[in-house]
């Protein structure tokens, strides 16, 4: 059961917000959807977009400017929130931006008090697609993309579920979270001290282990203030080179970590996914 919160027409399609009761996250969740005009006549493929730290389902839909190209191509966009929300959902005691609410890191938490609600991996991979495909005119042809923390989530989910996603892309992803401060904080909190469990949520480590990947596009701005300490794209580039998978990692001089960067290259990413979705 999904309840419509709002609807706005855009580029001949519909930008919609829904809410539903999530059995995976044990709370009420909201998500945004763009349905292109083609969805009025037939079911269309879907690109799932995972947002970064502090974001909700509304950041991408209002800032990225993706609807025009999605409408042209006939691709739906499914945009979930970044963490569970609501009364009783725990937050970082220090209210830091990089843990707790708005910072689910797309893992299945095993440590309390997080394990009751913070199962964003299962929510994105299992519950949300089943819900969307039951209630909306979208097919089971799926791509996945994201930014920063969401880029990390997209890469991990695509690598671990290669029959589920036809393609994957990411903007400024956290490429090697077991080796950066954001990842250390999130994984130790959600997953505990067993670092072997962390490897299941690390795109660089997964690629080196699996040695196969869906078609992949990664874009990184060279003026990103998180580049060296948190994002570590060189580690992913080395894994791509070692494994020889079909992947492109592009570097863009002068671009930072903001939605201006995403808006500049979202058309390229949508057309990349269209090769595999349409």
């Amino acid at each position: 059961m999904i309840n419509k919160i709002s609807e706005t027409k855009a580029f001949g399609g519909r930008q919609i917000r829904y809410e539903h009761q999530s059995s995976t996250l044990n709370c009420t969740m909201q998500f945004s959807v763009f349905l292109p005009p083609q969805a009025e006549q037939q079911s269309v493929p879907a690109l799932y977009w995972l947002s970064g730290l502090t974001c909700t389902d509304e950041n991408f839909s209002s800032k990225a400017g993706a609807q025009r190209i999605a409408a042209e191509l006939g691709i739906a966009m499914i945009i979930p929130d970044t963490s569970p929300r609501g009364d009783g959902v725990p937050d970082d005691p220090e209210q830091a931006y990089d843990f707790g609410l708005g910072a689910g890191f797309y893992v299945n938490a095993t440590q309390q008090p997080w394990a009751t609600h913070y199962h964003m991996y299962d929510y994105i991979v299992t519950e949300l697609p089943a819900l969307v495909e039951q209630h909306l005119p979208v097919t089971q042809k799926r791509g996945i993309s994201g930014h920063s923390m969401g880029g990390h989530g997209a890469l991990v989910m695509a690598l671990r579920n290669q029959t589920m996603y036809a393609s994957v892309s990411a903007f400024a992803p956290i490429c090697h979270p077991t080796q950066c401060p954001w990842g250390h904080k999130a994984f130790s909190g959600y997953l505990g001290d067993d670092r072997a469990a962390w490897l299941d949520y690390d795109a660089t480590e997964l690629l080196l282990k699996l040695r196969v990947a869906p078609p992949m596009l990664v874009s990184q701005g060279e003026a990103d203030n998180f580049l060296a300490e948190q994002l570590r794209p060189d580690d992913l580039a080395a894994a791509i080179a070692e494994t020889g998978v079909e992947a492109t990692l592009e570097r863009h001089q002068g671009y930072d970590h903001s939605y201006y960067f995403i808006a500049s290259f979202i058309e390229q990413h949508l057309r990349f996914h269209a090769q595999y979705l349409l």
Side-chain angles (χ1 to χ4, degrees), residues 162-237:
Q162 299 200 26
T163 61
M164 182 170 181
Y165 302 106
S167 51
V168 60
S169 73
F171 290 83
I174 306 171
C175 294
H176 207 175
T178 60
Q179 303 299 317
C180 77
W182 276 344
H184 285 181
K185 180 176 181 178
F187 290 176
S188 61
Y190 294 135
L191 304 173
D193 296 331
D194 179 11
R195 296 204 172 200
W198 297 12
L199 300 178
D200 287 339
Y201 299 103
D202 186 310
T204 297
E205 299 294 337
L206 284 168
L207 183 54
L208 289 170
K209 175 184 176 182
L210 299 170
R211 310 191 78 80
V212 64
M216 180 189 301
L217 171 64
V218 177
S219 297
Q220 176 61 60
E222 290 290 85
D224 191 318
N225 57 321
F226 300 114
L227 180 60
E229 183 181 34
Q230 303 286 11
L231 305 181
R232 301 181 69 96
D234 290 345
D235 297 1
L236 182 63

Side-chain angles (χ1 to χ4, degrees), residues 208-272:
L208 289 170
K209 175 184 176 182
L210 299 170
R211 310 191 78 80
V212 64
M216 180 189 301
L217 171 64
V218 177
S219 297
Q220 176 61 60
E222 290 290 85
D224 191 318
N225 57 321
F226 300 114
L227 180 60
E229 183 181 34
Q230 303 286 11
L231 305 181
R232 301 181 69 96
D234 290 345
D235 297 1
L236 182 63
I240 290 169
E242 179 177 329
T243 57
V245 298
E246 181 185 348
T248 300
L249 199 165
E250 296 184 346
R251 300 168 188 270
H252 299 281
Q253 292 294 328
Y255 286 91
D256 62 14
H257 200 70
S258 72
Y259 264 84
Y260 295 110
F261 173 47
I262 297 170
S264 298
F265 296 99
I266 192 62
E267 178 173 352
Q268 177 198 12
H269 280 241
L270 283 165
R271 294 194 185 281
F272 163 78

Side-chain angles (χ1 to χ4, degrees), residues 85-115:
R85 307 272 182 180
D87 295 340
V89 176
D91 193 7
D92 188 303
E94 300 175 357
Q95 296 187 315
Y97 77 96
D98 55 358
F99 191 75
L101 297 181
F105 265 84
Y106 303 103
V107 303
N108 288 335
T110 57
Q111 306 299 302
Q112 292 298 350
W114 319 104

Side-chain angles (χ1 to χ4, degrees), residues 49-63:
W49 172 270
L50 308 185
S51 296
L53 290 165
T54 75
C55 291
T56 70
D57 60 293
E58 292 190 286
N59 294 77
F60 178 79
S61 59
S62 63
K63 294 181 177 181

